[in-house]
């Protein structure tokens, strides 16, 4: 048996290097957390307490709200912000307000109403809005003792609030909030439950630990983290472009295949049983005939087939192979079919065709003839394969 398992140490390093501990969310949160720790930004909660610095920040935040919430009368913004029952959580960088949330805690009802929320226009979509909300939740729970937030969200901010855990379904009993919060015809009432335990300002660490725990459990239950040396295609293939092997590669020689649960009697078996490989391992001639007819009659002869008839020439599209890492075309597929070695199952053939269509839509923009052709040809391809499979089924019965 070739290709022994990689050593345990190597497995460990593969595991930790490959473990994705950072999604975009965590990366942004951690970046801002580091800035906070370095003193570059700070999150503060202030209200109208007549401290000069706080009053300046409140005015700066009022200016951001006035600009970002054009439907709100400025007088109304000032009235609520300066109302001592309201608090404003702000993000401040270089002593300038970047954005903030003004809310009113209803302590007896244990919920808070978010009145205004905005980030300065040149600072949006950098994660400040999320971190601000996390600071707000942590503070509202730990300092004010709140369990819920309610807000009337502007239509165009609903997406942001959903990402912060708000929903349009209001679970809080109506008698707890009705008559407390101000009705707002122009917005959508949304609710967020504040978790009693979440470390809101350190969510990224919690997510990283959860990912690690899940990864460890997966390692315990499966061997999918073990990486085996692959097949050397340079050595094994006679026709490099079409990837057809010089000699039929014995499946039992492929490192890791048996360990993954494969057994030799599964060779060439597919959903389409009448196309299964024969017991000596050779490709079913019915399958070869079917694939050839789909390729020649349905794809190459189709009015939308021409963009796919041969590999993309770099002279026509110099950056093509930088963007498309697994190219596919009808000529390569024809060679693979004609080799009578490559497509052992119909699924493999369909996968190559789908790859070819997806590549065209990845590289080209939707208004181009290539993009449109790929969509039309894919529809035609799917219906041709389906009809062919049906007729085989019918024939078999
Ligand atoms: N619609 C849909 N999704 C949004 C919106 C929006 N308007 N704004 C941000 N998002 C998404 C971001 O793309 C990001 O998604 P991702 O995590 O999948 O990448 C996520 O929400 C968080 O983005 P942040 O960068 O943390 O948010 P940002 O700093 O941009 O602040 C805010 C969001 C406050 C809505 C800001 O865009 C803003 O000031 N908008 C204009 C004012 C506004 O609409 N305020 C809310 C009015 S309702 C009220 O005040 C009660």
């Amino acid at each position: 048996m070739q290709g022994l398992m990689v050593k345990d140490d190597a497995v460990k390093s593969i595991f930790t290097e490959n473990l994705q501990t950072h999604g975009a969310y965590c990366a942004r949160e951690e970046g801002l957390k580091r800035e906070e720790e370095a003193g570059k930004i700070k999150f503060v909660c202030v209200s109208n307490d007549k401290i000069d610095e706080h009053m300046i920040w409140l005015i700066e935040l009022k200016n951001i709200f006035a600009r970002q919430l054009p439907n709100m009368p400025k007088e109304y913004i000032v009235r609520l912000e300066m109302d001592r029952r309201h608090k404003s959580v702000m993000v401040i960088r270089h002593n300038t307000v970047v954005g903030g949330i003004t809310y009113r805690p209803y302590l007896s009802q244990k919920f808070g109403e978010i009145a205004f929320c905005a980030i300065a226009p040149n600072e949006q979509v950098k994660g400040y809005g999320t971190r601000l909300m996390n600071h707000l939740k942590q503070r509202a729970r730990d300092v004010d003792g709140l369990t819920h937030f309610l807000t009337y969200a502007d239509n165009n901010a609903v997406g942001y609030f959903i990402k912060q855990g708000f929903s349009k379904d209001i679970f809080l009993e109506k008698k707890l909030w009705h008559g407390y919060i101000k009705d707002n015809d122009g917005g959508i009432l949304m609710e967020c439950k504040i978790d009693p335990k979440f470390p809101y300002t350190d969510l990224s660490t919690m997510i990283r630990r959860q990912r690690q725990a899940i990864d460890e459990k997966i390692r315990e239950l499966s061997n999918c983290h073990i990486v085996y040396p692959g097949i050397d295609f340079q050595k094994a293939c006679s026709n490099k472009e079409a990837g057809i092997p010089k000699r039929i590669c014995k499946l039992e020689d492929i490192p890791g295949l048996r360990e993954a649960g494969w057994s030799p009697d599964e060779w060439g078996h597919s959903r389409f049983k009448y196309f299964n490989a024969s017991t000596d391992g050779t490709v079913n001639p019915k399958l070869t005939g079917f694939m050839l007819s789909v390729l020649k009659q349905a794809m190459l002869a189709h009015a939308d087939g021409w963009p796919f008839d041969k590999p993309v020439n770099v002279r026509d599209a110099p950056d093509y192979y930088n963007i498309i890492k697994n190219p596919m075309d009808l000529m390569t597929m024809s060679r693979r079919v004609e080799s009578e070695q490559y497509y052992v199952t119909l699924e493999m053939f369909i996968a190559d065709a789908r790859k070819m269509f997806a590549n065209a839509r990845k590289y080209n923009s939707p208004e181009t003839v290539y993009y449109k052709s790929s969509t039309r040809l894919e529809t035609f391809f799917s219906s041709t394969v389906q009809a062919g499979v049906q007729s085989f089924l019918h024939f078999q019965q």
Side-chain angles (χ1 to χ4, degrees), residues 295-331:
L295 270 179
K296 299 237 156 89
Q297 290 161 22
M299 306 246 268
L300 284 162
H302 191 276
D304 287 307
W306 62 269
F308 307 99
D309 63 355
K310 52 184 175 305
V312 172
N313 191 327
V314 269
R315 268 176 299 184
D316 300 331
D319 59 347
Y320 188 82
Y321 293 96
N322 295 334
I323 296 167
I324 302 299
K325 296 295 178 199
N326 292 304
M328 190 44 59
D329 62 279
L330 295 176
M331 188 193 278

Side-chain angles (χ1 to χ4, degrees), residues 22-32 34 204:
H22 275 70
Y25 179 92
C26 287
R28 278 191 317 223
E29 276 284 289
E30 292 213 328
L32 291 177
R34 273 197 298 274
S204 51

Side-chain angles (χ1 to χ4, degrees), residues 100-114:
I101 295 176
T102 295
Y103 73 108
R104 177 170 172 181
Y106 290 98
L107 302 179
S108 60
Q109 310 307 102
K110 291 196 180 299
F111 82 89
E113 178 189 8
I114 294 178

Side-chain angles (χ1 to χ4, degrees), residues 28 68 117-119 124-127 129-130 151-152 154 156 163:
R28 278 191 317 223
Q68 292 300 299
C117 162
I119 298 290
Q124 290 176 6
V125 202
K126 293 180 183 171
T130 302
T151 190
Y152 274 103
D154 281 3
N156 59 8
K163 287 186 174 173

